[in-house]
Amino acid sequence: MNRNQVFFAALLLSSSMSAQSLSSYSSKAHAIANHYQDSLKNLHKAVQDMVEHDSAFVYSPYMYRMTGTNMYYANAVRNAFSLDSEEDNAQQSLGMQYRNGLNNAIDQTLVRSYQENPGMFHYYDEQLKDETVEQTAAPVESKKEDLDEIVNNVQSIQDVSEVLDDVEFELEVKKPNFWKKSGKFTTQFTQSYFSENWYKGGSNNVTLLSTLLLEANYNDQKKVQWDNKLDLRLGFVSTPSDEFHKFMTNNDKIYLASKLGIKATKAWFYTVQADVNTQFLPGYRTNKNATFSKFLAPLDVFVSVGMDFKPTLKKGSFSAAILPLSYKMRYIGTDDDVNTIHNNYAMMKDGNPLTTKHDFGSKVELNAKFEIVKNLTWRSRAYYYTTYTYTEAEWENAFSFQFNKYLSTEVNALWRFDDNRAPSTKDSSLGYFQFKEYFTFGLAYNF
């Protein structure tokens, strides 16, 4: 008999009856009976717990009636009301007395349950008389010594190839790539020819425009974002009516921008930004031989510090940089055209040209890119810079439509305001406002 049986029997017999007489209940026996009735509702779960901890408990020949189904045992009623003399009990051995006492306690507990709650018992023992008993094999217990022998004889594997010697495999661990790179190259060409006797007149011309946009953006998805952009544009137009030039540039730009942001909150970043802006070739005006700009003349460099608002968008991107501390340096080298370039950009002081000019002010810059519909993209860039003595601002919008992998069209419009110019450059109708627009169609390649 295991410890569970002894414990359960002790609960039934303790202070409820003596070994010589179990015909009446004490208060503790009555409590045991009530407790048994309540426990019948959760009997299934209790039996599972018993089996899990000690599977031998449910096979006990003494306790099976307490752990089985809700069954009415006729023999329990007969035994509970039987009249056994104390002398017969006294002649029995101690083991028989213990067995009979335990069985009597179980019988009377069952009878008490039958009387107080008969509706809980749905079966009776007569239903089992024709059933055969299936012998259940006792669980096989492994000796600890046998297990130790098996564990100690297992050979440790130092190299997987010892087991998979006929299998070739490679394990490659890749670090996450936080860089997102993109590029776009376009080239457009148009040509017009008119005969000398064309009835409406006209001027022969050829235009060519090539652009290259490269972007490399770093985002570690936690704290750091670093955006880099290189925008190159170069376009020519033939000018047969110009007595000084056969070709002139109609689009000339070198723009390099780099912006480093450290996340402050969900969409705000502490930002340091640098911009460089210049052109490739000398710039002229119709029927004038003077040079109004050239490579690195002027060269504008901005370095700004502030905050950048960059919300996360599903389709597109948006950035609004507020840069209260902004430094601007303008450089113009040697002017070979009697200071024409210096005069054009107000880089004169006391009649002498200035090589560099340093200004401090504030700057606001907006950048946006959205896909309006499939293959139609809108890009916009605007900035406003002021030293509180003069203002420089630009707003550029570009709408591009990609017909297929190699053909695209684009409409570009650029407004500019700059009152840091010589008074002679002020237009009679636009003032210091300037405007440029062009429409292109041609080859395009994204990579």
Side-chain angles (χ1 to χ4, degrees), residues 306-321:
M307 298 290 292
D308 189 13
F309 176 68
K310 297 178 67 176
T312 302
L313 304 176
K314 292 183 178 179
K315 291 186 178 181
S317 60
F318 176 79
S319 169

Side-chain angles (χ1 to χ4, degrees), residues 47-71:
V47 172
Q48 288 182 330
D49 294 340
M50 293 176 187
V51 174
E52 180 179 354
H53 291 88
D54 191 349
S55 60
F57 182 78
V58 296
Y59 302 114
S60 171
Y62 303 104
M63 308 303 295
Y64 74 96
R65 292 184 295 170
M66 302 292 287
T67 59
T69 57
N70 299 352
M71 182 171 293

Side-chain angles (χ1 to χ4, degrees), residues 269-310:
F269 292 79
Y270 302 109
T271 297
V272 177
Q273 179 174 322
D275 305 79
V276 178
N277 195 6
T278 186
Q279 57 282 317
F280 288 99
L281 301 174
Y284 305 99
R285 294 178 183 172
T286 304
N287 292 320
K288 292 184 178 181
N289 199 29
T291 303
F292 290 87
S293 64
K294 61 182 181 180
F295 181 66
L296 300 182
L299 170 67
D300 292 338
V301 178
F302 287 93
V303 178
S304 308
V305 178
M307 298 290 292
D308 189 13
F309 176 68
K310 297 178 67 176

Side-chain angles (χ1 to χ4, degrees), residues 249 252-254 277-285 290-302 328-335 337-349 352-359 383 390-392 394 414 416-426 432 434 436:
T249 58
D252 192 355
K253 181 178 183 179
I254 301 176
N277 195 6
T278 186
Q279 57 282 317
F280 288 99
L281 301 174
Y284 305 99
R285 294 178 183 172
T291 303
F292 290 87
S293 64
K294 61 182 181 180
F295 181 66
L296 300 182
L299 170 67
D300 292 338
V301 178
F302 287 93
K328 177 186 176 183
M329 187 271 292
R330 172 166 285 175
Y331 167 82
I332 296 179
T334 304
D335 191 346
D337 295 321
V338 196
N339 300 326
T340 305
I341 301 177
H342 288 80
N343 284 317
N344 187 36
Y345 289 96
M347 291 280 288
M348 301 290 294
K349 184 177 182 179
N352 297 316
L354 297 175
T355 302
T356 58
K357 184 179 181 181
H358 307 277
D359 292 312
Y383 77 88
Y390 75 86
T391 298
E392 178 181 315
E394 279 189 2
L414 173 64
R416 179 179 173 86
F417 178 87
D418 186 3
D419 59 0
N420 186 33
R421 303 289 301 279
S424 59
T425 62
K426 187 175 182 180
Y432 287 108
Q434 306 167 46
K436 182 177 71 172

Side-chain angles (χ1 to χ4, degrees), residues 163-232:
V163 181
L164 303 176
D165 54 354
D166 57 344
V167 178
E168 294 183 0
F169 61 93
E170 293 183 359
L171 181 62
E172 182 179 0
V173 179
K174 292 185 178 181
K175 295 182 179 179
N177 185 10
F178 297 124
W179 285 96
K180 183 178 180 180
K181 303 175 184 179
S182 63
K184 183 177 182 180
F185 174 77
T186 64
T187 180
Q188 288 85 25
F189 174 82
T190 61
Q191 183 265 338
S192 299
Y193 172 78
F194 303 90
S195 63
E196 292 292 337
N197 60 346
W198 181 249
Y199 73 106
K200 288 186 177 181
S203 176
N204 301 334
N205 65 81
V206 176
T207 61
L208 176 66
L209 174 63
S210 295
T211 66
L212 177 63
L213 178 63
L214 300 176
E215 291 183 294
N217 301 324
Y218 177 89
N219 185 357
D220 68 353
Q221 308 298 327
K222 291 183 179 180
K223 289 290 185 181
V224 180
Q225 291 190 14
W226 185 19
D227 299 335
N228 301 276
K229 179 168 65 174
L230 176 63
D231 188 358
L232 305 178

Side-chain angles (χ1 to χ4, degrees), residues 90-101:
Q91 296 177 359
Q92 296 176 354
S93 64
L94 294 177
M96 291 296 294
Q97 291 180 13
Y98 171 81
R99 186 198 66 178
N100 292 336

Side-chain angles (χ1 to χ4, degrees), residues 382-437:
Y383 77 88
Y384 177 90
Y385 173 78
T386 179
T387 63
Y388 308 103
T389 57
Y390 75 86
T391 298
E392 178 181 315
E394 279 189 2
W395 184 27
E396 182 179 20
N397 291 278
F399 296 87
S400 59
F401 185 81
Q402 193 82 22
F403 291 98
N404 53 40
K405 187 176 181 180
Y406 300 106
L407 293 177
S408 71
T409 184
E410 181 174 301
V411 178
N412 188 290
L414 173 64
W415 281 94
R416 179 179 173 86
F417 178 87
D418 186 3
D419 59 0
N420 186 33
R421 303 289 301 279
S424 59
T425 62
K426 187 175 182 180
D427 187 81
S428 58
S429 57
L430 295 177
Y432 287 108
F433 277 100
Q434 306 167 46
F435 179 73
K436 182 177 71 172
E437 179 271 337

